[in-house]
Amino acid sequence: TVAGLQVPIAPVSPVKLNQSTFNAYDVEAAAHYVFKIDAAGYKIVTVRNIHGVTDGTYFIADYTGPYKDYLCTELAAGSTPTAPTCNTQPSVTPCKGFSEYNNCMAYNAGKWTLSGTSFAPGIVWFEGNLHLGNGVYQNSFVATGEITTGGSLEVYAVNYAGYNGKRGTTTYAPTGICVNSNSPALYPLDYCGTDGSAFTSPDTVIGNYALLAGSYDADGNYVGGNIVLGASNKIYGSVLAGNSYGSGGSTTIRGSITALSQGSG
């Protein structure tokens, strides 16, 4: 014992962890397909860096015959937001319904619904809430609101699916981003190059995620950010919920799950 000994211990400074945030509008520019509703109530999509499609904004409308949810530069007379019709020749559709006569997407009361078999590969961004029905998708989905899913859904994030769904002899996805059996002509040029012969992920982490949700409104309030997965979903890629996360039974996620609790409740 050393009488009177005083050890000069400086108090530890408080440690404050940086709080992560997510705002879907911050990553809008990285998306290949940006879906919104225009001032007249029509479904529109801004397409960027997709092989075979000129960059620009298109209506989502039908043509006479088995042509549902096609990209359209001009609407026909008599079109309405609930029944839009194109007056030009059929071009391409970014998604596939259960048949050529079935729509693959819908919008109602702030919610987008994808119900079909697949979507052209790439990053897909929605203003509003998003519901993903049954299907197998090679996409990274972003929504400014909430994301919900049906049962038996499969989503492969862009970077997870990769070039053709394989790494050597190991199969990671049914099909890939550059070699895609569902939409072979529609591949993202910033991931696949002009000829689609190689996979190169741009300097962004969005492609690592399968699902991302939530945003701030003009008043600074947090909107949406809840992700709720249905039963028997298979998600290959990470999940980022700006507010909360939940899932049904028998759901598999190959990636991280982040819930940032930015909203209320």
Side-chain angles (χ1 to χ4, degrees):
T1 301
V2 180
L5 177 64
Q6 294 183 351
V7 181
I9 299 177
V12 177
S13 300
V15 176
K16 184 178 180 180
L17 299 178
N18 293 327
Q19 181 178 358
S20 298
T21 61
F22 176 72
N23 184 359
Y25 288 103
D26 291 341
V27 302
E28 179 180 352
H32 301 105
Y33 301 90
V34 172
F35 288 90
K36 298 182 178 182
I37 299 299
D38 71 4
Y42 288 95
K43 299 188 292 292
I44 59 173
V45 57
T46 300
V47 182
R48 180 193 68 86
N49 255 5
I50 293 295
H51 175 266
V53 180
T54 302
D55 284 8
T57 299
Y58 300 85
F59 294 101
I60 297 295
D62 299 341
Y63 294 89
T64 301
Y67 302 108
K68 302 296 184 182
D69 299 320
Y70 271 64
L71 303 184
C72 175
T73 56
E74 185 178 347
L75 294 174
S79 289
T80 65
T82 56
T85 304
C86 282
N87 67 349
T88 54
Q89 293 299 313
S91 55
V92 296
T93 175
C95 55
K96 291 186 176 182
F98 293 109
S99 78
E100 292 182 335
Y101 290 89
N102 293 122
N103 290 94
C104 55
M105 68 168 55
Y107 178 86
N108 182 48
K111 181 173 73 174
W112 297 84
T113 299
L114 290 186
S115 56
T117 59
S118 64
F119 197 101
I123 299 172
V124 190
W125 189 100
F126 293 88
E127 189 168 63
N129 299 323
L130 172 64
H131 179 77
L132 297 171
N134 294 343
V136 179
Y137 300 94
Q138 285 74 42
N139 301 98
S140 296
F141 289 108
V142 187
T144 64
E146 302 179 350
I147 295 179
T148 58
T149 69
S152 302
L153 172 76
E154 293 185 25
V155 179
Y156 297 82
V158 172
N159 287 345
Y160 195 102
Y163 175 68
N164 60 358
K166 298 181 179 181
R167 307 288 192 278
T169 58
T170 302
T171 299
Y172 284 86
T175 188
I177 302 303
C178 308
V179 176
N180 188 282
S181 57
N182 299 315
S183 302
L186 301 177
Y187 52 82
L189 296 172
D190 50 348
Y191 279 81
C192 303
T194 57
D195 59 356
S197 62
F199 182 84
T200 303
S201 180
D203 185 20
T204 173
V205 299
I206 301 304
N208 294 334
Y209 289 87
L211 306 171
L212 308 97
S215 64
Y216 289 96
D217 64 16
D219 297 324
N221 301 312
Y222 203 73
V223 177
N226 301 322
I227 295 179
V228 181
L229 304 183
S232 300
N233 282 194
K234 294 182 179 179
I235 309 299
Y236 299 90
S238 294
V239 174
L240 174 57
N243 192 45
S244 67
Y245 165 82
S247 65
S250 301
T251 291
T252 299
I253 295 178
R254 299 290 179 92
S256 63
I257 302 172
T258 305
L260 296 176
S261 190
Q262 291 176 253
S264 60

